[in-house]
Amino acid sequence: MRIAVVGSGYVGLVAGACFADLGHEVILVDNDQQKLTALRNGEVPIHEKFLPELLGRHRGTRLQFSDDLAEAVRRSSVIFVAVGTPPTESGEADLSYVESVAREISGGIEDYKVIVEKSTVPVYTSDWVRKIILRNGADPDLFDVASNPEFLREGTAVTDFLFPDRIVVGCDSRRAADVLAEVYARMTDGSYYTRAGAIPQPDRAVIPPPLIVTSTKSAELIKHACNAFLAMKISFINAVASVCESVGANVSQVVHGIGTDTRIGQRFLNPGIGYGGSCFPKDVMAFRAVAREHGYDFTLLDAVVRINEEQRQRFVRKVHNALWTIRGKRLAVLGLAFKGGTDDIRESPAIAIIQCLLREGSQITAYDPAAMDRSREVLGDSINYANSAYEAAHNADALLILTEWEEFANLDLSRLRDELKYPIVIDGRNLYDPESIGAQGFTYYSVGRSASHPDGVPAGVIRNGKRA
Ligand code: UDX
Ligand code: UDX
């Protein structure tokens, strides 16, 4: 099939590359000339596993890059819209990019097209997109607007795209549903997965994935409800972690105990410094806003946001508890990205915590395996940047872990201890077992678990009449 993907950001670029790998002819459209030039020259603008491979495989053949949206529409039968939908001041999604793309699309509609929302958009967007396209002169019989939300996570975007739990297609016409079913046919009939050169199957994948066909509005809602639910799961466990801290329970044990209930599940139950990224914060607010606009006061989501914000403050308080005063202290920070496996720092809780600790007068040396360049654009010279975790730790008063990179869970602890001025680790991602790291000579603070001290005795434990 001939497919146009408008917007070559995280979602559009991955979708375009994966559609090409499924065998379609893809035109990736973007209005950012610099980005287009970089893509044409073989650069890969984001850190995403398998993406360089797919772009290399299809660039210039099944994958073309263009800034001419109307022409791309003319040459394609399906147009996926994947431009950004940033939040406005009041938390609603800013749909002006979607609107301007819809206007331009109308100019290229000469035969039947399916216009598909791939960006996360509030319910009713499809109605508006349809109205805008009609207002700009397109024939109502020559197009349908559909919603095909994307559930990919950054860092594992390519495998999430090709091995999804399900494909959701929201259409209000049979014709559009058939076109979208054809787009994904090689996934739903399983033929992609047996092909030589297919991206390797991850552990949990269910193949072939089911195709769920819903109304357009339901599909729009599925995306918002899905992200809001996952954010709620994280805030829930963060709240439970706070209770654990108050009563001296261990949140890891609690997670194991509740997560093994198959109705709840272990995933997205990792407590920490709260969720960040370009989706959860924005989508929870946007879902809240659209519900309110249509008469439902979704107060549960306010609590989700509040708990998430408190989680950062609680972490900063932990730093205080560990170090007493902050001014002039040298802090080593591991992790700048909003989560492991990505170079994205949008809404990163790590950056927010760093900014707070800087305001309190600390000196920070940070290391992140992928997000240093992007962080420099935001933090500039306000912090120092190290080339490794050990370099960051050198002579620091304490080490803070702010991103769940695998690399940070496998540090050489004796080397780390030698580098640090004081062997204090404050872990916002629970990457270590408190007892074993304590036994290695560290004072260790984490989330929802008692602190542990060098002799392996958890803080708070009474031994020989004294509190450890
Ligand atoms: C996507 C989705 O669009 C968003 O709704 C979802 O919640 C998260 O993922 P993302 O891919 O991260 O956003 O956006 P971004 O990286 O900002 O990429 C958007 C691209 O669209 C950019 O390359 C931008 O240049 C391009 N764009 C934007 C256009 O081509 N035309 C426009 O009018 C606006
Ligand atoms: C999310 C959704 O998972 C994805 O389906 C959607 O398409 C886009 O938004 P992403 O933002 O890439 O994906 O990251 P995700 O892996 O969901 O993590 C989001 C945030 O939650 C990160 O800051 C992460 O550190 C945090 N998180 C995640 C936790 O704090 N605990 C967890 O258990 C899981």
Side-chain angles (χ1 to χ4, degrees), residues 234 238 270-276 307-309 311-312 338 349 428-429:
I234 298 168
N238 279 331
N270 296 324
I273 50 175
Y275 59 77
I307 293 166
N308 197 54
E309 279 161 10
Q311 216 52 21
R312 300 167 184 190
F338 80 96
R429 299 294 193 164

Side-chain angles (χ1 to χ4, degrees), residues 13 24 154 255 295 298 378 405 431:
L13 189 58
H24 302 302
E154 287 179 24
V255 165
F298 210 149
V378 176
W405 279 99
L431 297 188

Side-chain angles (χ1 to χ4, degrees), residues 383-400:
I383 64 167
N384 299 312
Y385 302 88
N387 291 315
S388 72
Y390 308 103
E391 193 184 312
H394 183 67
N395 215 16
D397 289 286
L399 179 91
L400 277 46

Side-chain angles (χ1 to χ4, degrees), residues 7 9-11 30-32 35 83 85 97 119-120 279 282 346:
Y10 279 86
V11 172
D30 208 287
N31 60 5
D32 180 339
K35 195 177 255 187
V83 293
T85 51
Y97 297 131
S119 304
T120 305
C279 293
K282 156 175 92 68
R346 289 182 286 180

Side-chain angles (χ1 to χ4, degrees), residues 5-14 28-33 35-36 39 45-46 66-67 69 81-86 93-102 104 118-121 150 152 154 223-224 227 278-280 282-283 344 346 374:
V5 179
V6 192
S8 43
Y10 279 86
V11 172
L13 189 58
V14 170
L28 259 171
V29 185
D30 208 287
N31 60 5
D32 180 339
Q33 292 300 336
K35 195 177 255 187
L36 286 176
L39 285 167
I46 52 174
S66 166
D67 62 353
L69 177 50
V81 180
V83 293
T85 51
D94 175 356
L95 297 171
S96 53
Y97 297 131
V98 175
E99 178 175 354
S100 81
V101 165
E104 273 188 71
K118 200 69 167 148
S119 304
T120 305
V121 290
E150 193 43 70
L152 52 82
E154 287 179 24
K223 176 65 199 197
H224 263 162
N227 274 357
S278 68
C279 293
F280 284 175
K282 156 175 92 68
D283 292 349
D344 196 346
R346 289 182 286 180
R374 285 181 190 242

